[in-house]
Amino acid sequence: MVNRPLLFLDVDGPLNPYAAKPQRRPAGYTTIRVPRNTAEDDETPSFRRRPLRVWLNPTHGPALLRLDYDLCWATTWMNEANRWIAPVLGLPELPFVDFGEALLQERPDGVHWKTGPLVDYADGRPFAWVDDEQSSLDELHVAAHHPGPGLLHHVNPRVGLAEDDFQRLAEFALGF
C-alpha cells in the first residue's frame, strides 16, 4: 500500500521563474544555459539558436525532498529534467510523466493538456500538482475523474516556488 502522495513538478514557472524581470535574476537563483533542440531548429540559422536561459534555486531540491511526497516530473522537459534540472537542484533521477500525444495539444473543453495524463498517471493515488497554468476547469476535471484527493497548486511564474508554497504542500501531505 502506497501512503505518500505524488508531487507532480512542472519546471517552467514553479522551479524556473521565467516571467521574472528578464534582466534581473531572482535572489538565490543560479542561471544555466540549455542548448535548444537543434533537430527541431534545422531551418533556423545557427546564430539565432541561442541557448535557453533557465533560473533555478538550489535550495528548492532539499526543500522538495523534505516534503512527504514521491516526486515526479510533470513538465514538457519530461526526462530531460533529470539531465538539466535535477543536478542543479540536488535531486535524484525522478520518474516523469510521458505526455505522448497529449504534449502541448489544446483541448476543446479548456482543460489543460497535462490534466488528463496526470490523473491517469496518479491512478487514484493522492497527488499535488505545482504548475503555473492550471485553472478552475482543471480542478473540476480532477474532481470528476480522480477518485483520490488532488491539490492543484498554482505558482506565480514571476516568483517561482516560495516558502508559502512549500508550507501549503506540506499541509496537504499531512492528510496521508
Side-chain angles (χ1 to χ4, degrees):
M1 176 80 183
V2 176
N3 292 328
R4 287 165 44 117
L6 288 164
L7 178 54
F8 290 125
L9 294 168
D10 183 31
V11 171
D12 296 314
L15 296 173
N16 170 28
Y18 67 87
K21 293 185 179 184
Q23 304 307 322
R24 297 198 57 203
R25 180 176 63 203
Y29 283 73
T30 188
T31 303
I32 66 168
R33 303 278 180 193
V34 178
R36 295 189 187 265
N37 184 348
T38 55
E40 293 176 5
D41 296 336
D42 284 341
E43 301 299 315
T44 306
S46 61
F47 67 88
R48 290 206 176 133
R49 282 190 231 134
R50 292 185 306 193
L52 180 64
R53 182 214 71 214
V54 179
W55 286 328
L56 298 170
N57 186 330
T59 66
H60 284 166
L64 289 165
L65 291 171
R66 282 191 298 273
L67 294 171
D68 197 15
Y69 286 91
D70 291 332
L71 306 178
C72 181
W73 296 118
T75 172
T76 57
W77 291 73
M78 290 192 279
N79 195 40
E80 287 296 300
N82 284 317
R83 177 178 180 193
W84 296 102
I85 308 303
V88 177
L89 300 180
L91 293 174
E93 185 169 322
L94 300 177
F96 66 95
V97 177
D98 184 343
F99 291 107
E101 296 295 315
L103 185 65
L104 300 174
Q105 297 299 312
E106 257 187 65
R107 292 175 48 138
D109 60 2
V111 171
H112 194 281
W113 59 267
K114 287 182 185 177
T115 307
L118 293 180
V119 167
D120 292 344
Y121 189 98
D123 194 25
R125 186 172 172 190
F127 71 85
W129 170 26
V130 293
D131 207 311
D132 63 311
E133 297 182 347
Q134 311 109 321
S135 73
S136 59
L137 293 173
D138 301 298
E139 290 180 7
L140 290 171
H141 183 88
V142 170
H145 299 281
H146 183 66
L151 170 68
L152 281 63
H153 185 75
H154 183 269
V155 175
N156 184 335
R158 289 183 179 92
V159 178
L161 283 170
E163 186 56 40
D164 59 332
D165 299 308
F166 286 102
Q167 185 170 351
R168 177 66 183 110
L169 292 168
E171 289 168 4
F172 180 76
L174 285 175
F176 309 101

